[in-house]
Amino acid sequence: MPKIEVKIWDVERIAGIPLTVEDLKKSLELLKAEVEEVRGDSIVYEASHDRPDLFSAEGLGRAIGFLKGARKPVKYVVGDSGAYLDISNAPSYRPYAFFSIIENLELDEESVRQIFQLQEKLHLTHCGDRELAAIGLYDLDKIKLPVRYVKVETAKYRPLGYENMMSLEEVLAKTDKGVKYAHLVRKGQYPLLVDSEGQVMGFPPILNPEDNKVTEDTRRIVIDITGTEPRLMMKVLNLITTSVSERSRNPVIKSVVIRGGSTYPVSPSLESRQVKVERGSVKSLLGLDPLAKGDSNLLELMGYNVQRFDSKELVVEVPSFRIDVLSYVDVIEDIAIAYGYNELGSEISPSPHFGRLDTLDRFADYLREVLLGLGLQEVLNFMLTDPDVLTLVSDENFVKVRNPKMKMYSAVRNSLVPTLLISVLVNSAKRRFFEIFEIGDVVKLSDDAYPTYAKMLAYGLVGDKYTLTDGLIVLKSLMKVFGVKYDLRRVSKKALIAGRSAEVLVKEEVIGLVGEVDPAILTNLGIYVPTTIAEINVSKLFSTSSP
Amino acid sequence: MLPSRQFKILQRLIKAGKGLTITDLGSTLGVRESDLMRDLAELESKSLVRLERTVSYSVKLSELGFKYLEVGLPEERLLKYIQARNGAVPLSSVLTELDFNDDEVKAALGQLRKHGLVVLESGLIKLVKEDLGGFPSEVLETKELMKKHELPVIYKDVPKQVMLLKRRRIVDLSEVKEIKVYPTQQLPRLIDEGRIVEGELITNLTSEVLISGSWKTATIKEFDLNVDVPTRTPRLRHPYVQFMKYVEEILIEMGFEEVKGPYLESSLWNFDALFVPQYHPARKETDVYFVENVNLTVNEVDVLERAGRIHEDVWGYHWRVETARLPVLRTHTTPVSMRTIYERGAGEYRVFSFDRVFRPDTPDPTHLMEFHQLEGIIVGRGVTFKELLGFFKELASRLGMKEVRFKPAYFPFTEPSVEGFVKHPRLGWIEVFPGGMFRPEVTSSVALPAMYKVAAWGIGIDRLAMIVLGVDDIRDLYSNDLEVIESIRIPEVMVRNAQD
């Protein structure tokens, strides 16, 4: 969730209404944003990922203006700039580019800051850190239209924030942005925006020139968006265009023709979309129809123009900056928000059926009860564990995490024995003897890497006084309670002392093992107390023991 | 047959042949007086002893009295002082020179005037008689009486002269309550005839004692409740398991069925079917554990196709099937709900899942890389958002939290979406219940007919577990340390029905 910082006075001048901090907090709550901090005349909030129009003061001021009834829903008029953008020779791996132009702007230090904040947050979120789309803003007075978006082998320009001319390779090697985003471009096919006089207008998605940057003195802005996802790019371009246009009392938005095989012949595309909502669906989704009294004002508070509103249906115009509104349910949510979630009331109908616990969990709880009754204490462990402990204890395959944060949690346990031994280690420093057990799930991995899941039970008897006999006593007592007949068969396992360990068989199927832990393994883990353990596959015990 | 101690009391009384005080009895028998009282009350009720309760007074020379014995009584000293100054002194000088206080001046003057020895005239005390009459002998008597009280003297009635001393605070008086024990008339005869015999004292009952019947005459030793005893450690479910059981019971009472799903999921089930676009930040390596050595077949080809089409149509980007096939450790249990809908299809049902999920993190007191989610759905034709709010209120109330507030929220797979807050007495409003109505894009990816709606919720239940169990470090919820496990108390709200 992006963190946004705005000045309260700046939001006020866009909303067209004076605002207290309280007003702002309440409005932000309705807009799914959470106030993080109020610092003097600044407010910092976490905006919701689905409302990128609120990633700067322009969109926030506009939305609060609607909510407070100080502003009416907007309609954007787009004029023709007469210019074009030629993308016929664009790099094939980043084939799309769109432009929009906003004129008659009145900028100051704060508005420039806000526009760049919006650009940065959009890059981080919806633009996939520039991989899907990259945005650039330029002073149009420093550029000679039309512009070509082309792939080039090399070029030279003075990058933003640097004094010297650099080649594209130098930009990639020497600037911070160049180093960070170099992986997005291909050598010999660098994406470049070149104006009609042959000047480098921009090097997307890396770094733009110093000479045409947007400043407080800029009156006309051209925005480019380049990337791989045209529909997403157009949404983002529309959004940033409408936000920038908030920085003018009489904004003039102009379109550019896209030449050379684009899915969109002209950009931007600010026509509002129509969304139809069946009146019946409001009540059937919410459980109450906030529009029942025939008041469509709730929709205007959320910035929608109402086109039709009758007993059968509701048609609203969704402004182009509301890229989160995808279908009628989004409009219904806005109706509920404007009405107030806490005003909707609540109800709960009885369940159409009885409740029921998972059968295996229920069985496992009986096992748990028996072991507690036998005096063993239950412990828990994470399923994520140390791969070294897993390989120490067994040669069986296990799931490895590709991107772990810590080695000790970088594998998924395939047995409870390793985590039980970790529990033994934790407690053996503090107690001379103890009896513990754990019930939990494991993920086993076949040799051809297909996962299977099992619920397991493991217990450990730790201390000088315990031998395999004690392990077998617990096993026998447990099995007796459930009336399960089992056999023991001598076994050789990596973790256990050969000759002092056994497999447990029910109806000739192996369901577990029991034995004294090999001293080599104990001491390797740092455990210096004799330990007898057993592990039972609860899933198998459940299925094999049923009559 | 009498308990041994009671028998000894009787023997002692007979031997003394007179009444004994409790103090005497206690010291000779080596028993505390308070312990004796019960025995005596029993003996009295059997008419074997008679108790006589008396009040007497103990009188002892006070500190002041000891001082007067040393320096003389104030009246003596005043007389000598006047005699030494030609029979007349100013009253004020008495206070300063003799260091008398007001009371002492008054008492001294009173005594001298009683014998007509002095008068008080315009601030001067004058000696008016040479002959001291009865005064010296009275002083002598008083001093004799005082000496008698250097050790405490017990009076049933306090003599008048002693009361006078008390008034002058020369002696201290305190009340002494005493119980005297006398044998009844029949007692010697009963003992002679052997009708009263001594029984044995039993410290611990044994089966031998029970079988022989000797307990009938024995005294079972009284237990001293002041002696501290050690505790035993009960073997209980792990505190987190107790909490799970408690929450699961609540959901089952509310008519939910428990469902399970795999820990390893394809990205399809974890994200794509839930309408989370492939470029969404929640799908990045920083937010999801990918696994490196797992083959995971996506058998649900229809879901794959539908999800892909929906992403292309609605989100409008180039959707990649390889990305959807990537196996991950599930980041939430919502795939479990989705699989349930996929399997059960249209119908009226509600299910829950309480299970582990995984997200990259470094463990600290408030973060874990593996934790539990409590997830559930209510599926049906008439299911509404309002019903989801009702469910949250009911669940909160059953968890012992009565106040609930709702705020708008965003989750990619629900619309409307909500975040429920509950009011905690100490922590204030806390965010606990995220949920919403599954989007049509989500339900159609698992082919649920459009007339069916799904209210869904997925609670990061560990936060509630910490609050309920009173645990400050989230890592303690998953503890394998017996000391930590044994230190966690069973919480009030779990023991009592929070509804009451």
Side-chain angles (χ1 to χ4, degrees):
Chain A
M1 301 261 262
K3 264 185 203 154
I4 312 297
E5 183 170 355
V6 296
K7 299 279 185 208
I8 296 172
W9 54 263
D10 190 30
V11 177
E12 277 176 337
R13 67 181 177 181
I14 294 163
I17 188 174
L19 296 165
T20 63
V21 172
E22 251 344 273
D23 285 336
L24 264 167
K25 282 187 177 170
K26 274 187 194 155
S27 299
L28 282 166
E29 182 179 316
L30 294 180
L31 298 168
K32 307 183 183 178
E34 206 171 315
V35 176
E36 288 263 309
E37 199 185 349
V38 180
R39 258 199 312 250
D41 61 351
S42 286
I43 190 159
V44 181
Y45 60 94
E46 236 182 10
S48 166
H49 182 264
D50 75 324
R51 289 296 301 267
D53 58 312
L54 306 178
F55 289 0
S56 68
E58 293 87 10
L60 180 67
R62 183 173 54 202
I64 293 179
F66 297 149
L67 271 177
K68 295 275 171 192
R71 287 184 58 161
K72 287 287 161 200
V74 221
K75 274 199 173 181
Y76 295 100
V77 181
V78 181
D80 181 7
S81 69
Y84 66 86
L85 167 67
D86 183 354
I87 63 168
S88 55
N89 198 25
S92 58
Y93 62 92
R94 273 185 96 84
Y96 304 104
F98 305 125
F99 268 17
S100 74
I101 292 168
I102 309 112
E103 298 181 350
N104 212 15
L105 292 167
E106 298 153 68
L107 301 178
D108 56 21
E109 196 189 335
E110 180 59 18
S111 42
V112 171
R113 211 178 62 80
Q114 287 299 319
I115 290 168
F116 286 118
Q117 170 168 257
L118 178 60
Q119 179 198 22
E120 180 209 334
K121 302 295 176 184
L122 286 171
H123 272 159
L124 287 176
T125 55
H126 294 253
C127 298
D129 205 8
R130 306 193 186 188
E131 191 180 337
L132 307 173
I135 310 158
L137 295 105
Y138 316 83
D139 189 332
L140 183 53
D141 292 333
K142 309 277 168 63
I143 291 160
K144 292 284 175 287
L145 297 173
V147 172
R148 289 176 302 132
Y149 175 55
V150 291
K151 56 173 184 284
V152 296
E153 281 183 23
T154 189
K156 273 200 157 188
Y157 74 104
R158 190 155 73 102
L160 185 67
Y162 291 84
E163 296 200 346
N164 302 325
M165 297 287 280
M166 287 189 199
S167 69
L168 302 184
E169 277 84 0
E170 282 175 312
V171 170
L172 295 175
K174 291 182 179 170
T175 66
D176 290 348
K177 298 285 180 201
V179 171
K180 190 170 175 199
Y181 295 108
H183 67 280
L184 297 177
V185 294
R186 291 183 195 164
K187 193 172 167 59
Q189 301 177 55
Y190 297 121
L192 207 68
L193 292 162
V194 183
D195 80 359
S196 62
E197 293 185 343
Q199 293 293 314
V200 173
M201 171 181 162
F203 179 23
I206 312 295
L207 190 56
N208 286 336
E210 173 70 24
D211 302 328
N212 58 14
K213 70 176 180 192
V214 171
T215 69
E216 291 168 47
D217 302 323
T218 302
R219 310 280 294 160
R220 303 197 299 154
I221 285 181
V222 58
I223 305 174
D224 85 290
I225 189 157
T226 54
T228 59
E229 295 291 348
R231 278 183 64 185
L232 177 74
M233 285 160 55
M234 187 58 83
K235 285 188 204 176
V236 173
L237 179 69
N238 292 340
L239 190 154
I240 193 162
T241 302
T242 57
S243 284
V244 172
S245 78
E246 290 292 332
R247 296 302 182 179
S248 167
R249 267 169 292 184
N250 295 297
V252 176
I253 303 174
K254 287 184 178 168
S255 64
V256 174
V257 170
I258 312 297
R259 283 191 191 171
S262 165
T263 38
Y264 297 88
V266 171
S267 76
S269 146
L270 301 185
E271 304 78 46
S272 44
R273 288 163 296 138
Q274 286 194 352
V275 172
K276 193 169 80 180
V277 184
E278 279 174 45
R279 286 293 303 277
S281 66
V282 179
K283 187 168 182 193
S284 75
L285 187 61
L286 296 178
L288 170 132
D289 184 2
L291 306 174
K293 285 183 186 152
D295 181 11
S296 63
N297 182 42
L298 292 177
L299 291 152
E300 286 173 359
L301 295 181
M302 301 309 282
Y304 298 102
N305 255 318
V306 179
Q307 284 223 316
R308 184 164 353 129
F309 179 55
D310 57 37
S311 60
K312 281 203 131 162
E313 65 177 33
L314 166 74
V315 178
V316 295
E317 280 184 348
V318 181
S320 55
F321 55 81
R322 283 297 301 275
I323 68 174
D324 62 304
V325 176
L326 302 171
S327 82
Y328 73 98
V329 289
D330 302 285
V331 177
I332 295 178
E333 183 187 73
D334 273 348
I335 294 171
I337 291 172
Y339 186 74
Y341 275 11
N342 293 295
E343 310 305 317
L344 286 172
S346 64
E347 62 194 2
I348 181 142
S349 52
S351 178
H353 50 71
F354 297 112
R356 192 168 187 268
L357 200 64
D358 175 72
T359 311
L360 195 59
D361 270 4
R362 211 165 154 269
F363 177 64
D365 201 48
Y366 279 111
L367 296 175
R368 179 178 282 125
E369 204 141 287
V370 175
L371 288 164
L372 292 167
L374 290 170
L376 284 75
Q377 176 59 51
E378 183 174 22
V379 297
L380 284 185
N381 280 286
F382 296 113
M383 288 175 73
L384 287 176
T385 194
D386 191 334
D388 291 350
V389 180
L390 293 184
T391 36
L392 179 71
V393 168
S394 138
D395 290 326
E396 277 167 41
N397 208 357
F398 56 85
V399 177
K400 288 177 193 144
V401 174
R402 198 182 75 204
N403 54 327
K405 284 224 159 183
M406 293 168 85
K407 184 181 136 280
M408 71 182 291
Y409 302 116
S410 65
V412 184
R413 66 181 176 194
N414 56 0
S415 151
L416 289 187
V417 172
T419 50
L420 192 78
L421 289 176
I422 292 169
S423 308
V424 172
L425 176 63
V426 165
N427 291 291
S428 64
K430 303 177 199 167
R431 305 191 177 203
R432 288 209 333 276
F433 61 89
F434 51 91
E435 304 178 349
I436 54 174
F437 75 95
E438 178 172 9
I439 294 175
D441 292 349
V442 303
V443 182
K444 292 183 180 287
L445 205 55
S446 67
D447 292 334
D448 48 0
Y450 286 94
T452 49
Y453 308 94
K455 190 173 292 297
M456 307 295 274
L457 151 69
Y459 58 82
L461 309 171
V462 186
D464 285 343
K465 62 180 177 178
Y466 297 108
T467 66
L468 181 58
T469 310
D470 304 283
L472 291 172
I473 290 172
V474 172
L475 177 70
K476 191 172 183 180
S477 313
L478 181 70
M479 294 303 209
K480 189 179 162 212
V481 172
F482 294 97
V484 178
K485 289 200 180 74
Y486 65 96
D487 296 307
L488 295 175
R489 186 166 70 196
R490 199 170 287 285
V491 76
S492 171
K493 287 275 176 190
K494 198 175 178 184
L496 305 175
I497 302 174
R500 294 185 80 86
S501 52
E503 279 179 334
V504 183
L505 293 99
V506 174
K507 292 179 186 162
E508 283 159 29
E509 190 181 353
V510 177
I511 64 144
L513 53 87
V514 54
E516 293 179 18
V517 182
D518 191 318
I521 285 178
L522 287 179
T523 51
N524 190 319
L525 288 169
I527 300 168
Y528 297 97
V529 227
T531 301
T532 295
I533 57 160
E535 184 180 38
I536 307 286
N537 186 318
V538 177
S539 315
K540 280 189 183 172
L541 176 64
F542 182 64
S543 53
T544 54
S545 66
S546 67
Chain B
M1 186 82 71
L2 279 182
S4 176
R5 191 161 73 202
Q6 293 184 12
F7 188 78
K8 291 205 167 79
I9 293 171
L10 298 182
Q11 276 184 323
R12 183 82 207 138
L13 279 175
I14 303 271
K15 195 176 162 199
K18 60 166 185 173
L20 291 173
T21 63
I22 288 199
T23 320
D24 290 340
L25 266 177
S27 62
T28 49
L29 295 174
V31 184
R32 272 188 296 187
E33 289 180 28
S34 52
D35 292 340
L36 270 182
M37 277 317 295
R38 244 182 59 193
D39 290 321
L40 292 174
E42 275 178 38
L43 292 172
E44 189 181 30
S45 72
K46 289 178 183 155
S47 302
L48 299 175
V49 300
R50 186 165 55 78
L51 300 183
E52 201 178 275
R53 291 170 177 79
T54 57
V55 178
S56 50
Y57 303 90
S58 165
V59 179
K60 183 179 180 298
L61 200 60
S62 68
E63 265 183 53
L64 191 67
F66 279 107
K67 185 184 146 198
Y68 289 167
L69 278 184
E70 210 183 306
V71 302
L73 290 163
E75 53 268 36
E76 276 181 272
R77 294 175 61 203
L78 180 59
L79 183 65
K80 277 188 193 145
Y81 183 71
I82 301 169
Q83 283 169 334
R85 281 165 184 72
N86 300 323
V89 292
L91 182 58
S92 54
S93 72
V94 176
L95 287 167
T96 52
E97 299 280 314
L98 291 176
D99 193 22
F100 282 9
N101 62 30
D102 283 348
D103 286 345
E104 286 172 321
V105 175
K106 249 183 238 168
L109 278 176
Q111 289 299 320
L112 294 172
R113 278 149 110 184
K114 197 172 81 188
H115 291 276
L117 298 179
V118 296
V119 292
L120 187 61
E121 267 179 20
S122 49
L124 283 176
I125 306 170
K126 289 182 182 164
L127 191 63
V128 290
K129 259 190 187 170
E130 289 285 312
D131 179 11
L132 298 178
F135 180 76
S137 63
E138 196 179 308
V139 168
L140 220 62
E141 274 169 34
T142 305
K143 281 184 162 173
E144 282 306 310
L145 189 61
M146 281 165 66
K147 279 179 191 152
K148 270 202 301 259
H149 291 84
E150 282 178 23
L151 288 175
V153 180
I154 305 288
Y155 295 102
K156 220 167 157 50
D157 298 301
V158 186
K160 220 175 110 196
Q161 298 93 313
V162 177
M163 284 309 286
L164 287 173
L165 292 182
K166 186 194 168 249
R167 210 179 302 152
R168 294 185 64 183
R169 285 188 280 156
I170 292 171
V171 295
D172 293 329
L173 179 147
S174 58
E175 220 174 61
V176 181
K177 279 186 182 155
E178 203 176 56
I179 297 175
K180 250 186 164 170
V181 189
Y182 298 91
T184 54
Q185 271 188 334
Q186 55 164 345
L187 181 64
R189 183 171 50 87
L190 288 173
I191 287 186
D192 284 348
E193 291 172 7
R195 287 170 64 185
I196 297 175
V197 290
E198 182 181 3
E200 68 173 311
L201 180 75
I202 298 174
T203 319
N204 299 310
L205 275 180
T206 60
S207 49
E208 199 178 87
V209 170
L210 292 174
I211 293 164
S212 71
S214 65
W215 57 271
K216 290 178 196 164
T217 57
T219 305
I220 300 170
K221 193 183 166 208
E222 217 174 273
F223 188 85
D224 183 356
L225 294 175
N226 294 315
V227 175
D228 196 18
V229 297
T231 56
R232 288 169 65 176
T233 307
R235 293 300 157 207
L236 301 171
R237 287 176 176 80
H238 190 282
Y240 196 84
V241 174
Q242 291 181 42
F243 174 76
M244 281 179 87
K245 212 171 149 64
Y246 164 66
V247 173
E248 285 173 355
E249 260 171 33
I250 290 176
L251 284 157
I252 286 161
E253 282 170 3
M254 291 170 80
F256 283 79
E257 282 181 29
E258 188 179 12
V259 288
K260 296 271 176 184
Y263 294 100
L264 288 164
E265 271 293 7
S266 59
S267 294
L268 171 72
W269 283 107
N270 200 75
F271 295 118
D272 295 273
L274 286 163
F275 198 51
V276 182
Q278 294 185 331
Y279 55 83
H280 196 281
R283 300 181 67 150
K284 288 194 170 171
E285 296 233 332
T286 48
D287 288 55
V288 187
Y289 278 129
F290 292 92
V291 289
E292 62 178 27
N293 58 337
V294 174
N295 278 325
L296 204 67
T297 324
V298 177
N299 295 316
E300 303 83 6
V301 183
D302 55 331
V303 180
L304 202 60
E305 277 170 10
R306 278 190 298 264
R309 203 178 54 237
I310 290 165
H311 279 242
E312 299 250 339
D313 287 354
V314 185
W315 286 125
Y317 67 97
H318 179 65
W319 183 82
R320 289 181 179 85
V321 70
E322 319 83 72
T323 308
R325 287 186 191 275
L326 281 179
V328 301
L329 280 170
R330 66 175 177 209
T331 60
H332 52 177
T333 41
T334 316
V336 181
S337 295
M338 287 295 281
R339 284 178 177 277
T340 306
I341 300 173
Y342 181 64
E343 279 158 27
R344 298 196 187 188
E348 306 281 331
Y349 50 91
R350 39 184 87 173
V351 300
F352 80 94
S353 136
F354 192 147
D355 226 325
R356 297 189 188 213
V357 298
F358 309 84
R359 288 181 204 174
D361 227 325
T362 307
D364 70 22
T366 52
H367 298 89
L368 281 179
M369 69 292 151
E370 174 181 339
F371 52 96
H372 278 85
Q373 200 168 38
L374 178 66
E375 162 89 20
I377 46 171
I378 305 176
V379 182
R381 269 179 292 199
V383 176
T384 64
F385 186 59
K386 205 168 150 180
E387 178 140 4
L388 176 69
L389 304 184
F391 166 76
F392 282 148
K393 280 195 175 169
E394 182 68 24
L395 181 62
S397 140
R398 284 170 185 257
L399 289 166
M401 290 170 284
K402 303 286 175 198
E403 277 188 85
V404 185
R405 269 195 72 221
F406 300 110
K407 282 188 190 176
Y410 166 67
F411 310 106
F413 37 93
T414 53
E415 193 83 9
S417 303
V418 60
E419 187 79 66
F421 290 71
V422 294
K423 195 165 190 181
H424 184 270
R426 193 163 42 85
L427 307 169
W429 287 104
I430 47 172
E431 197 177 321
V432 284
F433 296 142
M437 304 297 289
F438 270 164
R439 295 189 66 97
E441 295 88 347
V442 171
T443 47
S444 55
S445 75
V446 284
L448 184 71
M451 67 177 71
Y452 287 88
K453 286 189 269 76
V454 182
W457 39 272
I459 302 169
I461 192 76
D462 287 359
R463 183 117 185 254
L464 274 174
M466 286 171 76
I467 292 167
V468 169
L469 293 172
V471 166
D472 293 327
D473 188 327
I474 192 170
R475 293 169 294 189
D476 287 348
L477 291 180
Y478 297 84
S479 187
N480 55 14
D481 186 331
L482 295 173
E483 272 178 27
V484 173
I485 293 168
E486 287 163 9
S487 73
I488 299 174
R489 283 181 48 205
I490 305 177
E492 182 91 357
V493 66
M494 279 164 52
V495 178
R496 294 166 212 287
N497 190 340
Q499 290 281 287
D500 294 344

